[in-house]
């Protein structure tokens, strides 16, 4: 199993969600992060003073997947999150040793399949 | 010649008299209209107390209940507007139902009604903050009808309707007892019936449940302070003479001195007790100063007004933790501010204002106890019938979502975007 | 002796007459000044509707547009203050430009102007919420000049300027048609010209775009309710007699009954339709009650005022989803509240208030249709010239940043700290 | 017969005269009461400036200082209510202490005091925003006592107390110099004594520290605009004659024209200078227009009022960055708006209003310089004694937590839940 | 060492904190996340339009533990976070190569023991 | 490649950013977290009731680096984030198997170099 973490533009999120869903990925966890990289800052002003807001709002998507889902997941994200302009973000792939579903105690691959309520 | 002259004089006199007669009518019309316009403007100032209370309560409650608090404060005013018109005013002043054909001496019956209606709405709205965060909206609506249509008018009739307390010489100029103690003790009854918010008390421990927005509470208290000039000033009910003007000037100054003193003593008391000058205590202190002077704002003058307000401010700072120790959960301090200080203000007229102390004490409790009982009984009946309290899940979720299906605050948040993984959920 | 006595009488009479004459002057002065002070205070109450609208609109829009909404609401009031002074008042009342030397009978021309100016500002400001979230700020400024300087004054002259509708006996006491229907239908024209916000409608689906702060909307509606007492009460335009006082007392009560009824019926209708007592519908219902009674607040009395307001409240709850089905995106409900209910209020004077029903219907549409057309045409011309709408990127970013370069809300956030990795960006 | 007739005439005359006499008294009573009620209502409008300032300042400061700002704005009003009553009024108008037995000619002494007290509170409250975010709460409280009890009354006595500037024919109708320049330059003295907020200036670089809530600032400026009608209108101090009515009508229109013009020029100037129509500059521009017209709202008429306000709006947009270059950290613009434009407004009465230009300039600086010095000196003494500034840690933490132990905003946040890993911390 | 990351219901957080404390775990880092999985959405409405809020507020708990604490930590979380309804969350276990305590420069196991101040 | 995650005090963030920049690290992702450890709680009060806010606002910095940057990055953080008082935070080092730049599809080391726009 892998833990795939993607940093994407907030505006691309709806497309990414759709692509992931189409790729069969159902369980995801999102959080708001602040990204700093090659992307230029945004100029704001207040009472006559200009300042550069150099952070960018990004969304982090964390997805635990079994091996066979690694490639489809990465593909889905790359295709749906890409705009071609600097700041599109990164995908990180990390080893994941165990997954436990709290509700049932199921482990690993069984723990990864969401059950619709 | 002489005759002509006399006739001339006579005609002249007649003419000047005729003119004087028209003038006298005009004068009477002016008096009448100055009384009316003044009363209506004072009433409009009192209406500012409605957003004032709404903001104070919203600020001191959790952000997940902000819609519910505004809904209650809007609806109790709307309900007062109809119920006090249909029935309440008639009970209180032995007037016809629907103020149908009712007229007053020095201003229109409609203006009289409108001014009294905003007082009824104030008494009702005092309750809403105390039971906030856990009561069913429907139960609150029914209670609003009952308090503005029946409880407040009936109790009010004892004094302002010329009833037995008026006969005894009880004094309550603008309603420390009739409005504030009634509202505050009805709130106590309501809180006893409904119990504290989940998690507020665990064993002997009192858990702070801080309000979500002190800026809202701050605007609220300013609007209340402003509205109170209408509340106390307007209660003079006559404006078109020098004596009335002198009285109202006095009322304004006494009212403001008491509010200022209440703010300052509550500030200092909280500073001493809790080591920091506390915001919510200070704003409660302002209201305490105002409630305290309400009954005697016409006769408790200058330094005595300061003293009356100052004591009010101190009472509040000591009452709030006391109520918590008794596990009476009043998130906004309505019971200390309006109830306990309402009693003090009523009694203060006997202490500093020359009224009969015994009668004042009697009158104070004559309002507090029935208000407490009727609050408790009405809410207990509601509890047994339609139910009084939302479910624990709804309470934790917040009344905005649970009762009104909408969130009070929504910041632009990409994570909330509605495109959906789970197609069944759509 | 006799002569002396007669002379004495004569002198006495003369003296008393002289005194009476001075008194008559004083009396006239008092009447004049009471009229003036009252009118100005009513006008100040109407000014409270400006922050009222700003807050209502800000609350029901997204947080990324809050500065833009305040800017529009501030500037349309500032522009009305200049444009209606320079030209609008002269068009509406056939008065000199710049109210230069204009005088009225029972109060100063300046006071008359000031009261009428705040009405012009109200008509203008109604539009701002409906087109919020997508319009260029510059386009809105130009429109503000046109509506307060020309459209509203010209249409208003038909009735309040003594024009053809006045001649026909059309009745619109405080402006259900002249102010509200004009504002509401100009808003409809504007919305038709600019189109919905991005993402509001997808195919047949209506996507909710919830407002960001219901506390702001709640304060706003209270300020509007309060301001309306000035709007309707002040429209009596004479205050210094018993008859006027009686009229104003009536107006206050009718206004409040209609507002209360509108709140209650909108609440109940939303409860039935959407299963929950809805907040934004209820506050729209209050405004609907107020708009509905505005035309007939002097003649639609008591229970009929309740009925008029109640119908207004129901109209709104049904109109909002209807407009959405037509893909007319009005985030605050300005079109139903001021436009549609403005028609109803105007017609109601024919139904409940004894006016000629045919003339009322004619007058209602005589205001609605030109307002709709002029709104649509002005904004279409702006679209073809300077452009009407911000770019999609700017709309998504929010007008605060895109148009004004500043964010409306900034919480202390360590992640925003300006020390910078990328030196080029500095 | 003849005799009888004459007697009849005589009696009739006597009767009519007697009636006239009663009427004359009634008339005098009406005049007196109309004066009183008007003055008190104007005063209440001025009280709206207190929440106005509180909201403006709260909005333009950081969210971690919101409680502190409300505390200061509440307490300076409470302190003014007591200190100006106890001593200030007596210094300013050579009246008895505690307004004990003080009476005025055409309204009660209490009403006179109340109106003047709200002016004193305004002068005090101007300072609070400029020194926000870094001053010890205790130091501010002491300063409030000194400015409302001594500085403002003493300086005010020079003109409104009939002192040397009044003798010289200096004109300042409602206080561009006496209230606003005094407040604004005392604020400058205070800022010079306390220094800028941490991180505001680094070397030559000016770091923007944006305010946290523009909606609050927006409501604030509307309340200030509204309150100013009381400030300027009420300063007529007499209302019960046609001449007064004419004057007040004029004052309202001039006040509103100047405010509108200030808004528009500040908007345009910021648009040109900073490429975007700036919100906080525009609202400062409104206030600048209002401050500018305050001294001459009675005599600077129509187009000249527009010009006076317009220049005020431009002054502000240029002064704000200038002060920043001088490292004078005034987060809300109190010094430009009230100080610099206060000077301009005072001088404008000499330019457009027919007053002696030399005397106006003299008077303007006669207020500005002592206010600056006394602000600087009082705060320097406080610095050397009880300390003026919170510690850097407290400043960074925010005054709400550091000084008052409570946070201003708390959103429901599961991460804050109080169940605790570290048992010692409980 | 392992990095244990749990996604749980916010309402269960107090219980989970208590359980962790009882299990001897003292150092934790929390963050707010938004979870999407099998749990059904919540219906809200605004001005007559209904919409489904399909994300769920969740809390992410990150805990770095030495090997012997892995089981007790997982057990503590599972037991305290479970409600039995869909949406209880997941636990992820990842390898952790190094831990450094910034204050002292201590590494690994020493870095993991909190020092009460 | 490693994923370096540091939990630091918010107040130290500007210094840490500067140090990272000096060390040649350009791409970072930040998020707000809530830390519980040895650091004592802060006492607040409300209406006469005192309570301890036991969580502490912290900032989490996530940095994906190639091997040669691991030591310099850790050093930069430790030096700039240290105040010496309890609560300075921790650094976690985890294995990172793949990195993909969404904009270009570049992988691993190439994906890690920010391109100034
Ligand atoms: N080495 C890194 N470690 C962690 N996050 C990174 C790293 N590099 C980039 N990021 C994240 O990815 C986002 C996009 O990176 P950026 O360099 O701006 O554009 P691009 O990925 O298109 O080259 C950044 O805002 C940041 O959140
Ligand atoms: N594969 C996954 N990767 C990352 N997070 C997941 C994954 N599956 C579930 N989650 C997280 O766990 C939460 C609970 O999962 P869910 O499927 O709703 O219920 P359950 O765990 O009870 O089956 C989700 O809201 C999401 O935050
Ligand atoms: N074992 C751990 N797992 C995850 N986060 C931890 C752990 N220990 C500490 N932390 C994080 O590091 C922060 C600082 O730790 P703390 O024990 O307070 O101080 P110090 O690191 O100086 O000993 C905590 O607030 C928490 O966010």
């Amino acid at each position: 199993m892998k833990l795939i973490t993607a940093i994407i533009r907030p505006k691309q999120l709806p497309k990414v969600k759709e692509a992931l869903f189409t790729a069969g990925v159902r369980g995801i966890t999102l959080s708001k992060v602040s990204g700093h990289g090659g992307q230029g800052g945004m100029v704001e002003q207040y009472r006559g003073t200009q300042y550069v807001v150099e952070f960018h709002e990004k969304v982090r998507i964390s997805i635990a997947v079994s091996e066979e889902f690694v490639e489809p997941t990465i593909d889905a994200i790359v295709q749906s999150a890409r705009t071609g302009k600097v700041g599109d973000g990164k995908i990180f792939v990390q080893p994941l040793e165990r997954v436990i579903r709290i509700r049932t105690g199921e482990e690993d691959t069984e723990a990864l399949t969401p059950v619709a309520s | 010649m002489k005759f002509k002259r006399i006739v001339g004089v006579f005609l002249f006199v007649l003419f000047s008299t005729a003119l004087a007669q028209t003038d006298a009518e005009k004068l009477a019309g002016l008096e009448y209209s100055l009384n009316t316009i003044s009363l209506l403007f004072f009433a409009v100032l009192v209406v500012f107390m409605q957003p004032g209370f709404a903001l104070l309560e919203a600020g001191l409650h959790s952000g997940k209940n902000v819609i519910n608090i505004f809904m209650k404060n809007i609806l109790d005013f709307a309900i007062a507007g109809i119920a006090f018109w249909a029935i309440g005013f008639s009970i209180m002043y032995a007037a016809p139902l629907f103020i149908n054909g009712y007229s007053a001496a020095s201003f229109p019956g409609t203006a009289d009604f409108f001014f009294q209606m905003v007082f009824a709405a104030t008494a009702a709205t005092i309750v809403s903050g105390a039971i906030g965060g856990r009561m069913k909206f429907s139960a609150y609506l029914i209670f609003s009808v009952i308090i503005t249509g029946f409880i407040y008018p009936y109790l009010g009739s004892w004094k302002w309707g010329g009833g037995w307390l008026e006969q005894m010489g009880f004094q309550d100029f603008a309603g420390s007892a009739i409005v504030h103690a009634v509202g505050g003790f009805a709130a106590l009854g309501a809180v006893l019936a409904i119990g504290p918010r989940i998690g507020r008390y665990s064993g002997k421990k009192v858990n702070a449940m801080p309000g979500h927005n002190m800026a809202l509470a701050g605007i609220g208290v300013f609007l209340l302070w402003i509205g109170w000039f209408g509340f106390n000033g307007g209660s003079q009910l006559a404006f078109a003479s020098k004596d009335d003007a002198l009285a109202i000037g006095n009322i304004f100054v006494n009212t403001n001195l008491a509010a200022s003193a209440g703010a300052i003593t509550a500030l200092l008391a909280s500073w001493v007790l809790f080591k920091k000058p506390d915001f919510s205590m200070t704003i409660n202190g302002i209201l305490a100063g105002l409630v305290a002077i309400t009954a005697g704002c016409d006769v408790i003058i200058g330094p005595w007004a300061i003293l009356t307000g100052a004591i009010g401010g101190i009472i509040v700072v000591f009452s709030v933790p006391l109520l918590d120790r008794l596990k009476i959960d009043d998130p906004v301090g309505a019971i200390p501010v309006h109830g306990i200080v309402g009693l003090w203000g009523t009694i203060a007229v006997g202490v500093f204002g020359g009224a009969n102390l015994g009668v004042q004490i009697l009158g104070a409790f004559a309002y507090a106890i029935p208000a407490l009982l009727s609050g408790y009984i009405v809410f207990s009946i509601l509890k047994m019938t339609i139910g009084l309290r939302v479910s624990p899940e709804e309470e934790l979720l917040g009344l905005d979502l649970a009762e009104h299906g909408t969130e009070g605050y929504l910041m632009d948040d990409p994570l909330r975007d509605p495109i959906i993984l789970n197609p069944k959920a759509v």
Side-chain angles (χ1 to χ4, degrees), chain A, chain B:
Chain A
M1 292 169 301
K2 301 291 174 208
L3 186 68
I4 300 179
T5 304
I7 316 289
I8 64 162
R9 295 183 195 275
K11 256 204 284 184
Q12 300 304 109
L13 182 59
K15 280 196 195 160
V16 174
K17 281 197 210 168
E18 236 181 329
L20 286 170
F21 177 65
T22 313
V25 174
R26 302 279 160 109
I28 65 176
T29 300
L30 305 177
S31 55
K32 276 195 283 190
V33 296
S34 161
H36 301 242
Q39 198 179 350
M42 166 148 191
V43 179
E44 299 188 13
Q45 60 186 19
Y46 181 74
R47 295 183 74 66
T49 306
Q50 295 206 333
Y51 60 102
V52 178
V53 176
E54 191 257 5
F55 85 96
H56 298 273
E57 274 190 26
K58 302 278 171 191
V59 169
R60 165 158 46 198
I61 311 181
S62 304
I63 314 171
V65 290
S66 50
E67 299 298 335
E68 73 266 28
F69 270 103
V70 173
E71 281 315 310
T73 301
I74 292 175
D75 286 357
I77 295 173
V78 168
Q79 271 153 38
S80 57
R82 185 179 288 176
T83 70
K85 279 180 238 141
V86 174
D88 276 353
K90 304 273 188 293
I91 301 173
F92 304 129
V93 182
Q94 290 178 275
L96 183 57
E97 298 182 350
R98 274 170 75 186
V99 176
I100 300 119
R101 191 197 299 272
I102 292 173
R103 174 164 51 91
T104 57
E106 289 162 291
E107 294 227 354
D108 301 345
T109 316
E110 293 98 81
L112 287 174
T113 336
V115 181
S117 59
Chain B
M1 263 297 283
K2 201 186 275 180
F3 179 76
K4 262 195 170 169
R5 180 172 282 168
I6 290 174
V7 168
V9 167
F10 189 72
L11 285 176
F12 195 76
V13 166
L14 260 184
F15 183 75
S16 93
T17 307
L19 198 141
Q21 269 180 324
T22 322
D23 283 6
E25 259 166 42
K26 272 198 190 167
L27 202 54
L30 261 176
E31 269 184 45
Y32 190 91
S33 61
L34 179 56
N35 275 324
T36 308
I37 295 284
S38 304
L39 189 67
L40 291 174
F41 274 115
F42 280 117
V44 169
L45 282 184
V46 183
V47 180
F48 275 103
M49 293 173 68
Q50 291 289 324
F53 278 116
L55 286 162
L56 180 75
E57 295 170 16
L60 297 184
H61 269 282
S62 159
K64 66 190 176 187
N65 298 323
V66 67
I67 286 180
N68 182 255
I69 283 169
F70 270 97
M71 283 296 263
K72 287 189 301 184
N73 281 274
I74 283 170
L75 265 297
D76 62 29
F77 188 61
I79 285 171
I82 307 264
F84 195 73
W85 169 81
I87 171 87
F89 190 79
S90 132
I91 291 175
M92 188 150 170
Y93 295 99
L97 291 176
F98 310 103
I99 61 161
N100 199 353
Y102 170 74
S103 70
S106 48
F107 34 67
T110 47
D112 191 10
F113 157 74
F114 187 73
F115 186 75
Q116 301 304 339
M117 182 274 292
V118 295
F119 276 61
T122 303
T125 214
I126 288 168
V127 178
S128 76
I131 48 73
R134 53 217 199 267
M135 187 178 282
K136 275 191 173 178
F137 182 58
S138 53
Y140 184 77
L141 292 187
I142 292 169
F143 174 72
S144 292
V145 176
I146 296 171
I147 190 168
T148 61
F150 302 95
I151 299 174
Y152 169 79
Y154 178 63
L155 296 179
S157 73
W158 293 352
K159 161 72 186 159
W160 291 344
W164 65 278
L165 277 166
E166 172 73 10
Q167 308 298 329
M168 289 187 66
F170 175 62
Q171 291 191 26
D172 188 0
F173 186 75
S176 286
I178 302 170
V179 180
H180 294 283
V182 165
F185 279 91
L188 175 56
V191 169
L192 292 176
I194 199 169
R197 288 168 293 171
I198 295 172
R200 183 76 170 90
Y201 307 109
S202 44
K204 289 220 159 173
K205 211 171 157 289
V206 177
N207 299 315
M209 295 175 78
H212 83 289
N213 191 320
M214 295 305 130
L216 296 186
I219 316 174
V221 82
F222 271 121
L223 293 186
L224 287 164
W225 197 333
I226 287 169
W228 231 285
F229 292 115
F231 203 90
N232 286 0
S235 292
Q236 177 71 12
L237 291 176
F239 312 96
S241 78
K242 185 166 180 175
D243 285 350
D244 292 321
L246 286 166
I248 292 161
N250 249 317
I251 291 168
F252 264 63
V253 173
N254 297 335
T255 300
N256 197 62
L257 286 174
S260 302
I264 291 168
T265 55
L267 177 90
L268 296 177
S270 74
W271 212 330
V272 169
L273 274 186
F274 316 132
K275 309 281 172 301
K276 303 257 185 190
D278 189 88
F279 177 67
S280 81
M281 289 295 184
T282 303
I283 62 179
N284 272 182
I286 293 167
L287 302 184
L290 289 164
V291 170
I293 200 64
T294 293
C297 56
D298 56 335
V299 289
I300 302 179
I301 307 285
W304 309 113
I306 293 182
L307 198 55
T308 303
I311 293 172
I314 288 171
I315 289 174
V316 157
V317 176
F318 284 88
S319 306
V320 167
L322 191 75
L323 286 176
D324 272 339
R325 230 162 299 143
L326 300 170
K327 304 199 178 177
I328 294 168
D329 181 20
D330 172 6
V332 300
I335 298 164
V337 164
H338 300 278
I340 305 177
V341 177
L343 292 183
W344 157 239
T346 312
I347 294 167
V349 193
V351 182
F352 301 128
N356 181 307
L357 185 58
V359 173
Q360 292 305 111
I361 295 174
L362 174 72
F365 286 96
Y367 278 108
I369 292 168
L372 168 61
L373 290 176
S374 59
Y376 186 74
I377 291 167
V378 170
F379 282 109
S380 297
I381 293 172
L382 289 171
K383 199 177 191 170
M384 292 180 301
T385 51
I386 64 165
L388 191 53
R389 202 168 169 143
V390 298
S391 72
E393 291 71 39
E394 290 176 317
E395 185 175 338
L396 291 175
L397 178 65
L399 299 182
D400 291 359
L401 274 173
E403 289 275 83
H404 308 286
T406 313
E407 289 170 74
Y409 301 105
L410 274 185
M411 274 303 161
D412 305 301
D413 183 349
L415 304 191
R416 290 182 55 100
D417 268 349
I419 298 219
I420 309 272
L421 290 183
N422 184 346
K424 271 194 247 160
V426 187

